[in-house]
Amino acid sequence: MSSQIIPVEPFDYVVFGGTGDLAERKLLPALYHRQLDGQLSDPTRIIGASRSALSHEEYRKFAQDALKEHLKPGEYDEGQVKIFADRLFYVPIDAKSDNGWDELKHLLDESKDRVRAFYLAVAPAIFGDISERIRDHKLITKTTRIVVEKPIGRDLASALELNDTIGKVFKEEQIFRIDHYLGKETVQNLMALRFANTLYEPLWNSSYIDHIQITVAESVGLESRAGYYDKAGALRDMVQNHILQLLCLVAMEVPPSMNAEAVRDEKLKVLRALKPITPANVEKLTVRGQYKAGASAGGAVKGYLEELDGGVSNTETFVAIKAEVDNWRWAGVPFYIRTGKRMAGRMSEIVITFKPIPHSIFDEAAGRIAANQLIIRLQPDEGVKQSLMIKDPGPGGMRLRNVSLDMTFAEAFKARSADAYERLLLDVVRNNQTLFMRRDEVEAAWRWIDPILKAWEAVGQQVQAYTAGTWGPSQAIALIERDGRTWHEVI
């Protein structure tokens, strides 16, 4: 059975940073795929805006080249690309002056009653400038939304300032803080697994779950992000947003409905229940790492400091944390989270490990009884595995084997899995904020992250070297193994 495609009403999407990397790699291909599936209604328009001096036709050529480069084989259809290109327009604009804004207003005034979304695919430093000029040039209508990318600040103080700046112009219900991880099919399936099945929710607590692991591993290094990354590090870049959002979806209570505010209320409670990490326990509960030269993707790769052109840096490219949610449901259940660059493979997954059976009736010859695990794979092969103990077929007595009930989306549904941005871009048009972060969520996450950053500084916690192409520093292994547990590392 294929899902029903429901077209959305016509809209105008203005992409600031329309010639940038995000627009080229993700936004334009995502909107093109939504057209392929019949979800864009006429006369929808996509308007690129940046400082580059391009005409409409030159921008259409830019978009066509982007689609050729970033679409998979067989997805580039000349006829559909022509239709898509006809939707594209471009305005050369300066975020810090009034240049180009009258032209944008003239273009948008052609369709004042249409849903209007402004996507800020630009540096957060100019979010305020753009927001104020949108207001000053009277571009805000009753159906206007604004989409902002991470990072929302680099600490609590800057997040508060940024939220205040945008909030002076737009109402909270108009602001969509995007985290593409929340748009992944498997992330949303986590809620379906928990809340649409009687099998899991009665067991989803400290009485039955031993521990939870969340891993977001990347095999790439800095690429072109050295300037940003060395000022951010893994804790700010990945944990504060992506990983804490995943933790919220795993740990939250059952919301009364799928209403956006109901879901986000429950996520906020989780963030507020996270046990603080302080200078007194930071070295026991966290590990910082930084990759050195090694091998990845079959070839030699440089270390982090070499990619910085021989600089000196204590920025972490890897972090592991033992976190706890201090509430009734999760009391005593550790959440082991880790993320890093130049690791052994690209993998994002959530592993729920259940407690062992209280008593075995089988003798030693039957073999070891492994704890049941539910493994939710976010990438690269989206799917869900449930491990179970069964009898090994054949005569000769009882021999137990650990096997998996394995469902991958590609095999189960025989259809292309939509990219996260495809869903999120159109959720903005639909005015559905369920998969977007509310202001208080962002700030609550920083209230947990900030003390970790300060604790690292207070105790002088240094990064531990790990070889590129491995699973991180040995201290991260010790973090979990001193509790009698081990990381799940099957790719």
Side-chain angles (χ1 to χ4, degrees):
M1 179 184 294
S2 60
S3 58
Q4 182 182 6
I5 300 297
I6 302 174
V8 297
E9 58 185 303
F11 58 85
D12 283 340
Y13 237 118
V14 182
V15 181
F16 290 95
T19 57
D21 182 66
L22 180 64
E24 179 184 340
R25 289 188 303 109
K26 292 294 185 181
L27 305 183
L28 291 171
L31 290 165
Y32 169 76
H33 276 297
R34 291 303 84 217
Q35 175 183 287
L36 280 184
D37 283 348
Q39 212 159 6
L40 302 190
S41 304
D42 291 327
T44 284
R45 298 184 300 180
I46 299 131
I47 302 168
S50 75
R51 288 179 296 177
S52 302
L54 300 178
S55 65
H56 297 318
E57 287 306 317
E58 286 171 328
Y59 188 63
R60 289 164 185 159
K61 176 65 166 57
F62 165 83
Q64 290 170 332
D65 291 342
L67 295 178
K68 284 180 181 177
E69 182 176 353
H70 298 290
L71 293 178
K72 294 179 181 178
E75 293 179 345
Y76 188 97
D77 179 277
E78 293 285 354
Q80 286 292 334
V81 169
K82 174 64 169 63
I83 295 171
F84 184 72
D86 288 342
R87 301 184 188 277
L88 298 177
F89 297 84
Y90 184 80
V91 178
I93 207 162
D94 187 347
K96 294 190 174 185
S97 76
D98 289 325
N99 294 338
W101 288 92
D102 287 342
E103 184 181 346
L104 178 61
K105 178 175 174 56
H106 176 75
L107 194 59
L108 291 175
D109 280 350
E110 296 174 7
S111 51
K112 287 184 177 180
D113 297 331
R114 198 177 301 170
V115 170
R116 182 179 296 178
F118 297 104
Y119 198 116
L120 306 193
V122 295
I126 59 174
F127 283 1
D129 294 302
I130 293 175
S131 298
E132 289 166 359
R133 280 175 170 76
I134 289 172
R135 177 197 61 203
D136 294 345
H137 288 270
K138 297 180 172 53
L139 302 181
I140 301 174
T141 66
K142 292 181 179 179
T143 56
T144 291
R145 314 44 158 129
I146 187 168
V147 187
V148 293
E149 278 276 348
K150 76 169 184 89
I152 308 295
R154 56 175 283 105
D155 53 22
L156 178 59
S158 57
L160 289 168
E161 182 181 359
L162 189 56
N163 279 329
D164 283 344
T165 299
I166 301 171
K168 289 176 182 177
V169 177
F170 295 94
K171 299 175 182 177
E172 178 62 27
E173 57 266 28
Q174 294 177 299
I175 303 170
F176 289 72
R177 298 173 187 84
I178 194 167
D179 183 339
H180 71 274
Y181 261 68
L182 296 184
K184 291 181 179 292
E185 194 72 50
T186 326
V187 173
Q188 294 169 80
N189 213 31
L190 174 58
M191 288 194 282
L193 282 169
R194 286 191 60 187
F195 307 140
N197 298 286
T198 58
L199 178 63
Y200 289 114
E201 188 54 30
L203 309 180
W204 210 263
N205 54 63
S206 60
S207 297
Y208 297 97
I209 291 177
D210 178 77
H211 74 281
I212 294 168
Q213 298 179 29
I214 302 175
T215 296
V216 179
E218 299 178 277
S219 58
V220 298
L222 288 184
E223 297 180 296
S224 60
R225 302 176 71 215
Y228 159 75
Y229 196 89
D230 196 54
K231 295 177 182 177
L235 187 69
R236 290 185 176 97
D237 187 51
M238 294 297 292
V239 179
Q240 187 273 336
N241 39 77
H242 300 329
I243 292 182
L244 284 187
Q245 285 293 310
L246 296 179
L247 189 153
C248 286
L249 293 176
V250 172
M252 72 182 188
E253 295 295 327
V254 184
S257 71
M258 281 297 290
N259 171 272
E261 297 311 310
V263 171
R264 297 195 293 183
D265 285 345
E266 297 306 329
K267 288 162 59 185
L268 179 63
K269 292 176 186 176
V270 174
L271 292 168
R272 289 176 172 171
L274 286 168
K275 275 190 177 181
I277 294 177
T278 67
N281 59 19
V282 69
E283 292 182 292
K284 181 181 178 181
L285 299 180
T286 73
V287 174
R288 307 176 72 218
Q290 186 183 94
Y291 64 84
K292 60 183 181 180
S296 180
V301 294
K302 295 178 179 179
Y304 179 77
L305 296 181
E306 295 172 276
E307 290 188 339
L308 288 179
D309 296 325
V312 176
S313 174
N314 195 43
T315 297
E316 78 283 355
T317 63
F318 172 96
V319 64
I321 301 175
K322 178 183 176 181
E324 291 186 67
V325 179
D326 202 11
N327 63 15
W328 188 289
R329 181 185 289 261
W330 296 113
V333 177
F335 287 71
Y336 299 99
I337 61 181
R338 63 176 174 168
T339 184
K341 290 188 172 295
R342 284 286 185 229
M343 295 182 72
R346 176 175 174 261
M347 178 184 76
S348 296
E349 68 176 17
I350 301 166
V351 180
I352 316 293
T353 300
F354 293 89
K355 290 185 175 179
I357 58 172
H359 171 71
S360 175
I361 64 173
F362 304 101
D363 59 31
E364 290 185 3
R368 186 179 73 88
I369 299 177
N372 299 131
Q373 288 185 322
L374 176 65
I375 302 170
I376 302 161
R377 179 66 67 93
L378 311 180
Q379 63 184 23
D381 302 312
E382 294 185 324
V384 179
K385 289 183 181 180
Q386 174 66 70
S387 71
L388 299 169
M389 296 302 299
I390 66 164
K391 177 188 176 294
D392 199 355
M398 180 67 71
R399 296 184 304 277
L400 299 176
R401 179 188 295 185
N402 188 26
V403 300
S404 292
L405 303 178
D406 191 351
M407 188 280 291
T408 63
F409 283 92
E411 293 180 6
F413 297 100
K414 306 296 183 186
R416 173 187 170 272
S417 181
D419 179 81
Y421 278 100
E422 296 176 41
R423 177 175 294 105
L424 296 174
L425 284 168
L426 293 198
D427 274 356
V428 173
V429 178
R430 299 186 192 97
N431 204 27
N432 181 355
Q433 291 214 354
T434 305
L435 301 176
F436 297 82
M437 293 178 287
R438 201 165 61 192
R439 173 177 181 152
D440 50 8
E441 281 184 78
V442 174
E443 293 167 5
W446 277 120
R447 285 190 172 93
W448 189 68
I449 293 292
D450 258 12
I452 300 176
L453 292 165
K454 292 174 182 176
W456 282 347
E457 185 177 356
V459 303
Q461 188 166 338
Q462 299 297 302
V463 293
Q464 306 296 323
Y466 64 97
T467 304
T470 66
W471 285 109
S474 60
Q475 289 84 351
I477 299 173
L479 174 74
I480 190 170
E481 291 196 347
R482 64 171 168 252
D483 294 338
R485 303 179 176 102
T486 189
W487 291 109
H488 184 261
E489 293 179 352
V490 178
I491 296 183

